[in-house]
Amino acid sequence: MATDRAKLAVLIVSYCNPGDVDRCLKSLAHSDWKDFEVFVCENGGKEAFERLMAGVAGPERTLRQLHGGSDLLDQAGGRLAAVEKCRFPSRTNIVRLGLAVDNLGYGGGVNAWLEQFLDSPGWDAVLVLNPDTEVDGHCLSELMAKAAAGFGMVGATLVFDHVPDKIINYGLHWSSTTGRVVAVGRNAPAGRAPSREEMSEIDAISGACVLVTRDFVEEVGLMTEDYFLYMEDLDWGRRRGEHRIGFAERAIVRHVGGTAIGSAVDPRKRSYLSVYLSARNSIVYARREAGWRWGLHFAFGLLYAIRYVAIGAPTAAKITVRGLIDGVLGKTGKPDASLQLHMLG
């Protein structure tokens, strides 16, 4: 894959967080990589889409709205109920803001755009970014250079926004025995490349910032959607076949983390939805990939529930158990509308 004019599609899934999207777009506007377009999928409904447009497009805003687009990507279609075409004021890169027909979850939001241009010529790679990230000016160039070296899935130096000298992770490792998803390289000093041993442990790159090549998407397929949130990035990486995972150490990405769903590092601050989906999807994935060992994963999940009780979070413990049971029952997709009431009841 040549890197001088290879077009990159940057995909961002938003959920009622226009401020995060705006910050991410501002960072992309300063990229030294020239040939890219941005595709945002707003999962939060029509009012959230209107707030997103008001927050990022207009006079003195990050984007300028364009009218009368003739490209098929400028039109609503598939699972996008509306599309607004914009560009950065100081450069020609196009940014399309799409309204999802429903809350499609993370994988669904990514796929809603991928489905639109999968068969289109002119793109060579896709960068999936969380909205609450900020990319360094050299980030896109470094990621594309690594992909050009023969890597189908590429990660960046993902650092904590409030502690930018520490790595969040180099990638993810899944234990088939316990079901635990380990953040490889957690808290390593920024600037240190992963060792060969660490790279050998990585099953996937975190969905907060992951670049995949066109060949990867065409051969591996789209993200699996029925997890709704969590595990889709691990699943994508573990389905990669012969595609190699690479790491672009000079591609710096700052990540706030959990602004939309509340998946905070401190377990006492995690939202109930985050707790539920983590527990449920761990079992859903285990039943697909771990064979009879999924029972061990359930037992380890119960230990997390006990931990919540020990730190004074009994409701989170209750929700963890509910998630584990729903995983056993095979429940997938968007959580039941009655879930929140059940959590607090």
Side-chain angles (χ1 to χ4, degrees):
M1 181 179 70
T3 60
D4 54 351
R5 289 293 296 168
K7 184 177 288 185
L8 171 65
V10 180
L11 302 188
I12 301 170
V13 179
S14 172
Y15 183 78
C16 304
N17 50 344
D20 291 327
V21 175
D22 189 52
R23 175 186 176 185
C24 187
L25 290 173
K26 280 183 167 68
S27 70
L28 288 166
H30 292 96
S31 175
D32 64 359
W33 182 261
K34 305 301 182 183
D35 200 8
F36 70 92
E37 295 185 355
V38 183
F39 301 83
V40 179
C41 178
E42 174 55 65
N43 266 339
K46 184 177 180 180
E47 291 185 1
F49 185 67
E50 291 172 351
R51 289 194 297 271
L52 176 63
M53 282 296 300
V56 303
E60 309 303 320
R61 300 290 186 184
T62 304
L63 302 177
R64 299 290 181 268
Q65 191 170 1
L66 303 175
H67 300 283
S70 58
D71 194 307
L72 288 177
L73 293 176
D74 302 333
Q75 313 301 319
R79 289 186 286 173
L80 296 172
V83 174
E84 296 290 348
K85 185 178 182 179
C86 306
R87 70 170 178 84
F88 296 110
S90 60
R91 55 193 301 168
T92 59
N93 303 77
I94 298 299
V95 179
R96 293 180 177 87
L97 308 176
L99 167 62
V101 297
D102 192 7
N103 186 354
L104 306 175
Y106 196 69
V110 170
N111 292 346
W113 270 118
L114 269 178
E115 291 164 348
Q116 295 296 94
F117 61 78
L118 188 60
D119 295 327
S120 302
W123 64 277
D124 290 289
V126 170
L127 174 62
V128 178
L129 272 181
N130 268 20
D132 54 353
T133 57
E134 181 178 353
V135 300
D136 177 81
H138 304 297
C139 181
L140 303 190
S141 296
E142 294 291 339
L143 289 168
M144 291 294 280
K146 194 69 177 182
F151 295 91
M153 174 176 267
V154 182
T157 294
L158 195 64
V159 300
F160 294 98
D161 183 66
H162 64 291
V163 190
D165 61 340
K166 289 188 177 181
I167 296 285
I168 295 177
N169 67 66
Y170 294 129
L172 307 174
H173 171 72
W174 178 71
S175 169
S176 61
T177 302
T178 67
R180 184 185 177 200
V181 179
V182 178
V184 179
R186 185 79 160 192
N187 290 320
R192 181 178 77 83
S195 66
R196 183 174 299 179
E197 180 181 358
E198 286 170 323
M199 285 302 302
S200 70
E201 295 176 356
I202 294 175
D203 292 314
I205 298 298
S206 167
C209 176
V210 54
L211 182 140
V212 292
T213 63
R214 181 174 189 137
D215 285 344
F216 181 100
V217 176
E218 291 178 342
E219 294 172 17
V220 177
L222 304 180
M223 276 191 170
T224 301
E225 298 184 18
D226 58 1
Y227 299 109
F228 192 71
L229 284 169
Y230 303 137
M231 302 300 283
E232 58 272 285
D233 48 4
L234 181 76
D235 176 272
W236 218 16
R238 294 191 77 242
R239 286 193 283 123
R240 69 185 183 277
E242 297 300 316
H243 292 276
R244 295 190 296 160
I245 290 180
F247 183 78
E249 63 190 75
R250 292 182 293 183
I252 310 298
V253 180
R254 295 166 71 110
H255 184 216
V256 177
T259 61
I261 190 175
S263 51
V265 174
D266 186 338
R268 291 166 295 188
K269 296 180 180 179
R270 296 185 67 187
S271 72
Y272 294 151
L273 182 60
S274 171
V275 171
Y276 171 80
L277 288 171
S278 294
R280 186 196 73 177
N281 291 346
S282 69
I283 301 303
V284 170
Y285 189 76
R287 294 187 69 197
R288 294 171 176 174
E289 300 293 330
W292 63 269
R293 287 172 293 188
W294 74 262
L296 295 176
H297 296 207
F298 188 92
F300 276 98
L302 291 177
L303 292 179
Y304 278 95
I306 294 171
R307 180 190 179 204
Y308 278 123
V309 172
I311 64 175
T315 303
K318 175 183 175 182
I319 294 166
T320 297
V321 174
R322 165 72 185 271
L324 294 170
I325 292 172
D326 282 356
V328 173
L329 296 175
K331 292 189 177 182
T332 58
K334 184 164 61 175
D336 191 294
S338 65
L339 178 62
Q340 186 172 3
L341 293 176
H342 178 87
M343 289 174 179
L344 303 177

